[in-house]
Amino acid sequence: MAPEERHKENSKLGRSPKYMLIQRFAKLFFGCLAAVTSGMMYAVYLSTYHERKFWFSSRQELEREITFQGDSAIYYSFYKELLKAPSFERGVYELTHNNKTVSMKTINAVQQMTLYPELIASVLYQASGSEEVIEPVYFYIGIVFGLQGIYVTALFVTSWVMSGTWLAGMLTVAWFIINRTDTTRIDYSIPSRENWALPYFACQVAALTGYLKKNLNCSAEKFCYLLVSASTYTFMMMWEYSHYLLFVQAVSLFLLDSFALAQSEKVHEVYKIYMFSLFLGYLLQFENSALLVSPLLSLVAALMLSKYLQMNVKKGTFMSRLLKIMYIYLVLTVTLTLNLLLKMFVPHKENEHLLKFLEIKLGLNTTKNFTMNWLLCQESLQAPSQDFFLRLTQSSLLPFYILVLIICLFSVTQVVFRRICGEPLKETVKLEDGRIGERPEIVYHVIHTILLGSLAMCLEGMKYLWTPYVCMLAAFGVCSPELWMTLFKWLRLKAVHPILLALILSMAVPTIIGFSLWKEFFPRIMTELSELQEFYDPDTVELMTWIKRQAPVAAVFAGSPQLMGVIKLCTGWMVSSLPLYNDDDLLKRNENIYQIYSKRSAEDIYKILTSYKANFLIIEDSICNEVGPVRGCRVKDLLDIANGHVVCEEGDSYAYSKYGRFCHEIKMNYSPYVNYFTRVYWNRSYFVYRINTVISFQS
């Protein structure tokens, strides 16, 4: 309503402006209190669950560190090194010129592994004087759990801003926690980059939602703009793949702007934020060329260029509006051309293995390459299983999400059709209009969730980006009177007043959902927190203890990349490979060292290991005798395919090699294996061999 109309309406209802101000303040206060409380409770819940799962407080330091697996171990190991450095400046220098992690290789670990979270955590730990109060590991995981609390709070605020009631925020948090298996990876890898980065992206989405709203007052618009700017840049610094997710967001805004469903000036201000964040990130990430050749930069540059070429595309007759199709084609063409030109003139190694992976995933190519096939076999890169959809359905999330999405999508389609026919959008959409598709922030979220959902249907790992916004959109929909009113407009209800029914349902439906979720899932959550789980890996503890006590300080270890990450963290010894997949040299190293599980000769393996200056070799029994659910995805099977030791014809497999599998043969202790390798330690899971420097060819 206009201010005069609102004043008259309030006078009719006997409400003074002062009363309305107090009411709005109370709503804002209690909503903010609920949002902050939800975030804090979720952070406490994660901390309690982590303690119960690992018995963290009762473990020794070595046992705690073993809980960090794979790339998580690498990230935390650099945090430890920063704290041990004589000064912060010296610690940063050693990370940017690191030659003590991977043998025969000097790396800029800060740039290559995106270690800005560890830099920030170490600075906060030392500057806050926490050395005498809390152990480094608790401080580190405490920050991550705190960020997850901010993540939940941002989702709460987003659904609140969209629906107008903080009841939607409470329902969002409930669905997020109940579907924690599919909304976050925090259980499996606390230090992973996405756990640091996605809370900032959630804050950016919340601020962008507010920024896109119509009739926003000046101060609120400036606040949202500043928050979008700060969170976009921070998100880009925290995760090496952040610009891909921002590219998906930019496509959503591009489609929103193409059909004139939002203020064009606001959308182009967001484009400027992208551009500024990319160039500032390029400079502060040691001139990271991946940002220059990213599709986000090409798209934003094409959009800004096309803006000047198509100034009048949103005005005029029906025929001129059909030119929007040409406008979209122009933007896509310029984007592709710019990206190809940048890749021609800018030296880069911009995750080329990702492009090869996509070719194979889409069926455009085939390969016997070990690394590509190994990536294809990873669970996170498979299509989502039926269990995923079953879990979302059991929590009632998926049915309500589909209902909300269909209503919003049809409403948006109607609005787009009206715009093509020349009908202008209303400046102020009233509840009785039933046009939820005319709200730009709603249209943005509809497009965004469809794009993220399409990716999640192809790659299960993308569900951690999509499912949180499924929770938010579904909660917004069932709590929004406008959405129910839109539905009733189509149904042409006459028996019951549609506005009254919409208001009742927007309160009754989420209340019923909340009580049913509480009754079914709250006991399960409390059981999780009350049960003590046992995580103990004595074989790995014994191995790390032996290395620290018996291995020379200058020794270099070779083995599976996942184990090498744990060795680097727990012992500090140099390794020959790392569980990282954004560097071609490291990928090649991983493939070469995995040959210890192939059918190769002792001499071949010896040459490979000595080429990386390795002194000790570790054979893992779990990989050598792996019995996987998918036979073709075991490490040894992938190696046999890559090496040509398996030939598949008409459904039958034929294996041939004049050598036995190395990891089996070396355990027999006969020539020529004993000539090259000497067993120095073993337990139930690991066999450690010293690589001989002087070779004896006696039987």
Side-chain angles (χ1 to χ4, degrees):
M1 296 182 182
E4 296 81 6
E5 294 176 356
R6 191 184 300 115
H7 181 72
K8 291 179 182 178
E9 185 69 21
N10 293 336
S11 300
K12 291 179 182 178
L13 297 174
R15 297 175 180 175
S16 64
K18 184 177 180 180
Y19 173 82
M20 294 298 297
L21 182 63
I22 294 174
Q23 187 183 41
R24 291 179 63 187
F25 176 78
K27 180 181 178 182
L28 181 64
F29 174 78
F30 287 108
C32 292
L33 182 63
V36 173
T37 302
S38 298
M40 293 177 63
M41 289 182 65
Y42 180 62
V44 172
Y45 164 72
L46 288 178
S47 178
T48 306
Y49 178 76
H50 182 261
E51 172 65 27
R52 293 288 183 175
K53 182 177 181 179
F54 296 109
W55 295 15
F56 215 64
S57 60
S58 60
R59 300 292 188 189
Q60 298 295 323
E61 182 180 6
L62 177 60
E63 296 171 342
R64 292 174 183 170
E65 292 177 349
I66 287 175
T67 63
F68 298 111
Q69 298 289 323
D71 58 345
S72 297
I74 295 298
Y75 296 131
Y76 185 73
S77 70
F78 288 121
Y79 168 73
K80 281 180 59 179
E81 290 185 13
L82 279 168
L83 295 181
K84 291 178 181 178
S87 66
F88 178 73
E89 293 78 10
R90 182 63 187 175
V92 173
Y93 178 82
E94 290 178 353
L95 290 185
T96 55
H97 302 78
N98 187 283
N99 57 3
K100 298 179 181 179
T101 298
V102 184
S103 61
M104 301 177 62
K105 188 176 179 66
T106 299
I107 58 176
N108 183 342
V110 177
Q111 178 192 12
Q112 191 164 344
M113 303 178 194
T114 321
L115 296 181
Y116 298 97
E118 282 67 34
L119 296 180
I120 295 171
S122 62
V123 168
L124 292 176
Y125 184 73
Q126 294 172 334
S128 61
S130 302
E131 294 93 335
E132 300 177 359
V133 180
I134 187 172
E135 296 180 50
V137 65
Y138 281 108
F139 187 84
Y140 185 89
I141 65 175
I143 293 178
V144 180
F145 291 155
L147 286 173
Q148 300 308 301
I150 294 175
Y151 192 0
V152 164
T153 300
L155 292 173
F156 183 110
V157 171
T158 305
S159 58
W160 179 17
V161 169
M162 293 171 64
S163 64
T165 171
W166 49 267
L167 185 62
M170 300 293 290
L171 187 56
T172 299
V173 174
W175 266 327
F176 183 92
I177 296 176
I178 289 169
N179 295 281
R180 182 170 49 85
T181 306
D182 303 304
T183 56
T184 177
R185 216 194 300 258
I186 192 73
D187 288 357
Y188 312 107
S189 54
I190 291 176
S192 67
R193 302 300 83 181
E194 64 190 68
N195 289 334
W196 284 88
L198 291 182
Y200 295 103
F201 183 67
C203 291
Q204 191 252 23
V205 170
L208 183 61
T209 302
Y211 184 66
L212 291 174
K213 285 176 71 71
K214 294 179 180 178
N215 303 320
L216 198 64
N217 63 64
C218 185
S219 57
E221 185 174 314
K222 288 182 179 178
F223 173 77
C224 290
Y225 177 81
L226 291 175
L227 186 55
V228 170
S229 303
S231 54
T232 300
Y233 172 69
T234 308
F235 174 59
M236 194 170 291
M237 294 294 289
M238 292 291 170
W239 195 18
E240 61 181 316
Y241 300 117
S242 58
H243 56 92
Y244 292 113
L245 186 52
L246 290 174
F247 170 74
V248 175
Q249 186 184 71
V251 172
S252 304
L253 293 174
F254 161 58
L255 294 175
L256 184 68
D257 184 45
S258 297
F259 294 103
L261 299 176
Q263 296 180 31
S264 183
E265 295 77 12
K266 286 187 176 182
V267 174
H268 283 273
E269 285 297 321
V270 178
Y271 294 158
K272 293 176 184 177
I273 292 173
Y274 291 149
M275 191 73 75
F276 175 77
S277 300
L278 281 168
F279 282 111
L280 189 59
Y282 168 76
L283 295 176
L284 296 182
Q285 290 184 13
F286 305 92
E287 299 183 356
N288 185 6
S289 59
L291 295 180
L292 293 184
V293 298
S294 69
L296 175 62
L297 179 61
S298 302
L299 176 63
V300 172
L303 287 168
M304 290 184 170
L305 179 62
S306 301
K307 177 186 177 182
Y308 297 103
L309 297 177
Q310 298 285 334
M311 289 296 292
N312 298 320
V313 75
K314 298 170 190 173
K315 299 178 182 180
T317 63
F318 175 77
M319 289 302 297
S320 67
R321 295 184 181 281
L322 291 180
L323 292 176
K324 288 177 183 178
I325 299 175
M326 295 301 298
Y327 171 70
I328 295 174
Y329 175 76
L330 174 66
V331 170
L332 295 178
T333 304
V334 174
T335 300
L336 184 59
T337 304
L338 282 176
N339 194 251
L340 292 175
L341 289 174
L342 286 171
K343 288 184 177 180
M344 288 175 59
F345 293 104
V346 178
H348 70 285
K349 294 181 179 179
E350 189 250 342
N351 300 319
E352 294 181 1
H353 63 284
L354 290 179
L355 299 178
K356 296 177 182 177
F357 167 78
L358 290 175
E359 286 183 6
I360 300 168
K361 183 73 176 177
L362 296 173
L364 303 176
N365 201 352
T366 58
T367 183
K368 293 183 178 180
N369 180 268
F370 169 80
T371 302
M372 288 296 105
N373 287 327
W374 186 81
L375 288 173
L376 286 167
C377 285
Q378 298 305 298
E379 184 179 354
S380 61
L381 299 178
Q382 301 289 323
S385 62
Q386 292 182 354
D387 292 341
F388 167 61
F389 300 104
L390 182 62
R391 288 191 298 269
L392 297 187
T393 303
Q394 288 174 341
S395 65
S396 73
L397 174 59
L398 190 60
F400 282 106
Y401 167 74
I402 293 174
L403 172 65
V404 172
L405 184 62
I406 290 174
I407 295 173
C408 291
L409 194 58
F410 272 105
S411 182
V412 171
T413 305
Q414 284 184 334
V415 174
V416 171
F417 182 75
R418 293 192 193 105
R419 293 294 291 141
I420 292 176
C421 293
E423 182 180 334
L425 294 177
K426 288 189 175 183
E427 287 296 325
T428 303
V429 180
K430 298 179 182 179
L431 177 59
E432 56 267 23
D433 294 333
R435 292 188 177 185
I436 199 168
E438 289 195 9
R439 291 175 55 186
E441 70 274 19
I442 305 301
V443 183
Y444 157 70
H445 279 287
V446 169
I447 299 172
H448 197 195
T449 190
I450 290 175
L451 293 178
L452 289 178
S454 301
L455 294 174
M457 295 305 103
C458 299
L459 305 172
E460 187 171 0
M462 295 297 295
K463 71 181 181 181
Y464 300 107
L465 303 176
W466 178 61
T467 315
Y469 296 97
V470 170
C471 299
M472 182 269 298
L473 194 68
F476 139 74
V478 297
C479 297
S480 173
E482 288 181 75
L483 183 129
W484 293 109
M485 192 62 202
T486 303
L487 178 62
F488 297 153
K489 271 284 188 179
W490 297 338
L491 298 177
R492 301 180 183 275
L493 286 181
K494 295 181 179 180
V496 182
H497 197 284
I499 296 180
L500 179 61
L501 185 58
L503 291 171
I504 292 174
L505 287 179
S506 65
M507 294 292 292
V509 173
T511 303
I512 294 171
I513 295 173
F515 275 117
S516 63
L517 294 178
W518 177 278
K519 182 179 179 181
E520 182 175 356
F521 292 97
F522 183 73
R524 300 185 191 180
I525 294 175
M526 297 309 296
T527 302
E528 279 185 348
L529 297 181
S530 60
E531 287 184 351
L532 285 173
Q533 304 181 42
E534 184 175 2
F535 177 86
Y536 188 54
D537 189 356
D539 294 342
T540 305
V541 172
E542 291 173 6
L543 174 64
M544 300 304 156
T545 303
W546 180 86
I547 292 174
K548 295 173 74 173
R549 292 178 179 176
Q550 303 295 329
V553 177
V556 177
F557 283 83
S560 70
Q562 287 71 26
L563 180 61
M564 294 302 100
V566 179
I567 289 177
K568 174 59 184 173
L569 168 60
C570 297
T571 68
W573 264 245
M574 191 177 291
V575 295
S576 57
S577 60
L578 289 176
L580 298 171
Y581 310 102
N582 58 356
D583 182 88
D584 292 337
D585 180 61
L586 288 176
L587 286 173
K588 190 63 179 177
R589 281 176 178 246
N590 293 345
E591 181 178 351
N592 288 338
I593 293 173
Y594 262 131
Q595 297 297 324
I596 60 179
Y597 300 105
S598 68
K599 297 178 179 180
R600 300 278 292 272
S601 67
E603 183 180 2
D604 288 346
I605 302 299
Y606 181 82
K607 288 180 179 179
I608 290 172
L609 297 175
T610 52
S611 67
Y612 297 121
K613 303 296 182 184
N615 305 114
F616 290 90
L617 167 65
I618 302 178
I619 300 289
E620 296 175 65
D621 208 44
S622 59
I623 300 179
C624 189
N625 299 317
E626 182 180 5
V627 182
V630 182
R631 182 179 178 83
C633 280
R634 298 180 300 183
V635 169
K636 51 188 179 183
D637 295 335
L638 297 175
L639 288 168
D640 290 345
I641 293 172
N643 296 333
H645 295 158
V646 171
V647 178
C648 299
E649 294 180 359
E650 297 179 358
D652 297 325
S653 296
Y654 302 95
Y656 66 91
S657 176
K658 62 180 180 180
Y659 302 107
R661 196 166 303 280
F662 177 83
C663 62
H664 287 151
E665 300 296 320
I666 194 174
K667 296 176 185 177
M668 303 300 180
N669 287 328
Y670 60 79
S671 182
Y673 297 91
V674 293
N675 302 327
Y676 295 101
F677 308 96
T678 302
R679 187 164 65 186
V680 293
Y681 173 80
W682 70 94
N683 59 30
R684 291 176 302 177
S685 302
Y686 303 102
F687 293 81
V688 183
Y689 295 87
R690 184 177 65 247
I691 301 171
N692 299 331
T693 53
V694 179
I695 304 173
S696 172
F697 290 98
Q698 297 179 0
S699 301

